[in-house]
Amino acid sequence: MNRHMTFERLHNFRDVGGYLGKDGRPVRWGRLYRSDSLGKLRGEDQNSFQALGIGTVIDLRYDWEIAAKGRVPEVPGLRYHHLSIEHRPYDQAALGPEVETGRFLADRYAEVAHDGAVELRRALEVIAAEDSGPVVFHCASGKDRTGLLAALVLSLLGVAEDDIVADFALTGLATERLLADWRADHPGQEPVWPGYGRAPADIMRFFLADLAATHGSVHAYATEFLGASEELVAALRGNLLEPAG
């Protein structure tokens, strides 16, 4: 099915429901979404967003990104959490064409997974909370920081690696529109890096393999490095997986 939800200004908003998790229990539809920047919401897009009944937004961007591009419009009852998980900024568009996409970005994801431990644990807590309502988390393009958090959540839910990688690679369907946004912000220019805005599957495969090699498993990374308790993992599953039977 097409997980991307249609918006005029958002290009990478999608539901992460339906994947099979622990004990064959599917991830609930309409409960967890991932997106590119919600600062772009306007007009009918905002109406469509509000119709989803979302209760909580997790914004993974830097302060300066929010200052430049704005945040999700304030709506009564909407909880907003700013959790900037990336601590070492870099300019993807300016990278040289010799930089290999998969290995380079997997290494950046590993940095984020370790630098942003406090923020990532807090994001898991927010997503697992019973009163969060449907949750959407996002960064600028909905690819890298958003992809990392999506992979972590899906892995803790027991979703198979192949499905996690496939979910990440779906951003490729939005690449051309994301590139169009970049060109609109940089008139007359083109990204130097051919990998800009692209989401080849090997990025996520490298990242998950590296995390397992360093920590033993993604679950061990979450519980031992992030400090996410087993009770938190159980709450995450209880909130996002369909009931057994």
Side-chain angles (χ1 to χ4, degrees):
M1 74 171 292
N2 181 13
R3 294 175 172 277
H4 280 85
M5 306 186 73
T6 302
F7 290 89
E8 178 63 30
R9 296 171 60 87
L10 302 183
H11 313 320
N12 203 13
F13 191 108
R14 59 189 197 260
D15 195 324
V16 299
Y19 296 115
L20 291 183
K22 186 173 175 58
D23 300 324
R25 296 161 59 193
V27 180
R28 295 168 61 185
W29 290 104
R31 187 66 189 179
L32 187 64
Y33 302 92
R34 50 179 295 173
S35 181
D36 47 326
S37 173
L38 297 179
K40 295 184 286 186
L41 283 173
R42 304 283 190 281
E44 285 304 312
D45 274 2
Q46 187 170 345
N47 293 336
S48 297
F49 174 80
Q50 289 180 227
L52 294 172
I54 289 170
T56 302
V57 170
I58 300 173
D59 190 335
L60 303 174
R61 296 174 298 162
Y62 288 101
D63 290 341
W64 55 265
E65 291 178 286
I66 297 170
K69 298 293 186 179
R71 47 153 283 180
V72 63
E74 294 190 30
V75 176
L78 182 68
R79 301 176 182 87
Y80 175 78
H81 298 267
H82 176 214
L83 300 170
S84 181
I85 63 173
E86 185 179 277
H87 295 189
R88 306 184 218 182
Y90 60 101
D91 185 355
Q92 288 192 20
L95 295 172
E98 75 283 356
V99 176
E100 195 277 317
T101 306
R103 185 68 267 166
F104 177 83
L105 286 181
D107 289 345
R108 301 292 75 73
Y109 291 12
E111 290 175 354
V112 174
H114 294 91
D115 294 347
V118 171
E119 294 86 356
L120 284 166
R121 182 178 67 248
R122 180 58 185 149
L124 294 177
E125 292 169 348
V126 170
I127 294 169
E130 288 185 7
D131 63 352
S132 287
V135 176
V136 56
F137 55 93
H138 75 92
C139 55
S141 67
K143 177 171 76 78
D144 300 313
R145 289 164 287 185
T146 297
L148 189 160
L149 180 55
L152 177 57
V153 171
L154 291 175
S155 183
L156 291 175
L157 293 177
V159 173
E161 181 175 314
D162 284 349
D163 287 336
I164 295 171
V165 171
D167 182 78
F168 172 79
L170 283 175
T171 287
L173 298 175
T175 293
E176 292 308 314
R177 294 184 73 191
L178 295 171
L179 281 166
D181 276 358
W182 188 93
R183 293 179 182 118
D185 286 340
H186 303 82
Q189 300 181 50
E190 285 292 322
V192 177
W193 192 39
Y196 183 82
R198 307 197 181 280
D202 59 352
I203 300 173
M204 186 53 63
R205 288 205 185 278
F206 285 147
F207 170 64
L208 292 174
D210 293 347
L211 209 60
T214 301
H215 296 279
S217 67
V218 177
H219 186 277
Y221 157 77
T223 56
E224 297 171 14
F225 185 83
L226 295 187
S229 67
E230 294 292 352
E231 290 77 14
L232 173 56
V233 174
L236 196 71
R237 292 171 178 169
N239 199 22
L240 294 179
L241 295 178
E242 293 286 357

